[in-house]
Amino acid sequence: MHNSNHSMRDILLSLLQIHGATGREEAVAAWLADLLRPHVDEISTDVMGNLIAIKKAKKAGAGKRIMFSAHMDHIGLLVIDADEKGFLRVCSVGGVRINRSLGQPVVFAGGVSGVIGAEEDITGDPEMRHLYIDIGASTREEALARVSIGDVAVYAAAPVTLGEHRIAAPAMDDRAGCALLAWVLLNAKDCPNEIVGVFSTQEEVGLRGAKVAAYTVEPDIGVALDVTATGDVPGVKPKMAMELGKGPAIKIMDRASISSPVVRDAMIAAAKAKNIPYQLEVLTFGGTDAGAIQLSRAGVPSGTLSIATRYVHSAIETLDMRDMEQGGELLLEFVNGEF
Ligand code: CO
Ligand code: ZN
């Protein structure tokens, strides 16, 4: 049934290698546009940098317009200055977690590498103002000759394979969703509904790309594709039901949206029709692009399909490829639904 040569794993691993900090998503968009252009009916970018790929319905004018959104951007550290010894001072773009940043290698879009340290002579836990990036410079001038104020570093760790099915890497949030969406666009055929795949920008600073794209697209149905946190590691707080390897997670609620029963129930029906395992997701913090799509214009019935991911917003975001593959199959069935 699926005649594409691009496996979910290959798409994901390629996407994980591309630099794409929040607000600097161009390289990710360019790679996706090259991949998708031969396989979709229309492809374009908008003012916010969203990449929008459209696969038309089999019968023109029939069916509904389903907008999917997966964000290309990845949290990072933005250079605000360098000190006289050449250490870069930074602020966060998106929800960078300080205790998960210490000791991490980072890389800038231009290829400059660095490592994250923190001032040691402080009392209490370090805050962002105590962090610095060491790029091997000795003076402020040398540092600012190699990187500019405003440049953004992201975690540089290479993907690590854990056992047969699991991969740990920075930027799973949300290249996992981008890989899912690309795979669906490559594999959907003779669909009764129009599929509008939005690869969105600036999700990590407040769903900004998706907000604009939803206005333009005017969808009948909205679906975000994103990672979600899990409750399946030792001592995790808060306790949550989501686990790796238990199938894609159908979101009930997070802090940005309560999923429309129209979308939620169609996802459950799609899973049941294809005997795909799934889990129900209640996330007590965070949100996805669904929060922006559902409030667009006069409102859009919206929901989220999530991939359970450990250590979200760290350099070792870990997911299970079986959840990705089952998520792709669920979505292929979902897009054939009647809404
Ligand atoms: Co995130
Ligand atoms: Zn995300």
Side-chain angles (χ1 to χ4, degrees):
M1 170 184 183
H2 312 312
N3 53 9
S4 157
N5 302 318
H6 310 283
S7 76
M8 186 80 80
R9 184 184 279 258
D10 289 347
I11 297 170
L12 176 61
L13 287 173
S14 295
L15 282 167
L16 289 170
Q17 315 290 334
I18 306 170
H19 205 282
T22 299
R24 311 289 167 83
E25 301 89 352
E26 299 85 352
V28 185
W31 187 88
L32 283 164
D34 283 348
L35 173 71
L36 296 172
R37 193 171 288 113
H39 303 275
V40 297
D41 297 305
E42 290 173 25
I43 193 158
S44 60
T45 52
D46 70 6
V47 172
M48 290 295 287
N50 297 303
L51 177 71
I52 304 176
I54 300 175
K55 208 150 179 176
K56 293 199 169 129
K58 180 169 61 174
K59 220 169 111 212
K64 293 287 198 310
R65 181 179 298 143
I66 306 172
M67 169 176 161
F68 290 98
S69 188
H71 68 92
M72 297 184 287
D73 62 306
H74 174 203
I75 56 169
L77 293 164
L78 185 145
V79 176
I80 52 178
D81 201 1
D83 70 17
E84 65 282 3
K85 295 283 192 194
F87 295 103
L88 305 175
R89 292 305 175 132
V90 291
C91 67
S92 66
V93 188
V96 174
R97 298 166 72 168
I98 289 159
N99 61 349
R100 291 187 166 176
S101 295
L102 296 175
Q104 288 297 334
V106 294
V107 65
F108 289 88
V112 172
S113 296
V115 291
I116 302 174
E119 293 173 30
E120 290 182 18
D121 62 345
I122 54 168
T123 46
D125 295 331
E127 295 170 29
M128 189 56 67
R129 66 196 163 91
H130 300 119
L131 296 193
Y132 57 81
I133 298 177
D134 182 348
I135 58 167
S138 303
T139 64
R140 182 172 189 273
E141 292 64 38
E142 186 190 347
L144 293 181
R146 296 176 57 200
V147 297
S148 249
I149 289 170
D151 283 357
V152 187
V154 299
Y155 298 135
V160 177
T161 302
L162 307 174
E164 195 183 337
H165 299 291
R166 297 182 179 175
I167 303 173
M172 284 296 188
D173 179 10
D174 185 28
R175 305 294 164 75
C178 293
L180 260 181
L181 180 50
W183 188 89
V184 169
L185 287 164
L186 292 172
N187 288 285
K189 263 186 27 199
D190 299 331
C191 187
N193 301 296
E194 181 174 292
I195 304 171
V196 181
V198 174
F199 298 89
S200 67
T201 57
Q202 300 191 33
E203 189 269 357
E204 296 287 1
V205 288
L207 323 179
R208 294 175 190 170
K211 183 176 185 177
V212 169
Y215 183 90
T216 309
V217 170
E218 282 193 79
D220 299 307
I221 299 286
V223 178
L225 304 174
D226 211 330
V227 302
T228 192
T230 68
D232 66 349
V233 291
V236 65
K237 272 194 312 185
K239 188 64 194 146
M240 293 175 292
M242 294 81 81
E243 295 179 52
L244 263 56
K246 290 289 163 73
I250 298 170
K251 191 183 294 281
I252 305 296
M253 190 191 88
D254 60 28
R255 289 301 174 209
S257 68
I258 297 170
S259 298
S260 161
V262 173
V263 176
R264 185 195 66 206
D265 293 348
M267 285 181 181
I268 292 171
K272 287 183 169 162
K274 290 283 165 182
N275 270 316
I276 299 164
Y278 67 94
Q279 43 189 334
L280 297 177
E281 173 203 349
V282 179
L283 184 65
T284 54
F285 53 89
T288 72
D289 281 343
I293 302 168
Q294 69 169 356
L295 298 181
S296 180
R297 294 181 182 260
V300 178
S302 299
T304 300
L305 192 73
S306 302
I307 300 298
T309 303
R310 292 176 180 169
Y311 326 116
V312 172
H313 287 200
S314 80
I316 51 162
E317 296 175 334
T318 302
L319 57 66
D320 190 307
M321 283 310 299
R322 292 170 294 188
D323 296 333
M324 290 285 290
E325 272 139 27
Q326 289 158 356
E329 296 294 340
L330 190 158
L331 290 170
L332 272 193
E333 180 67 16
F334 176 85
V335 295
N336 286 323
E338 263 188 57
F339 298 94

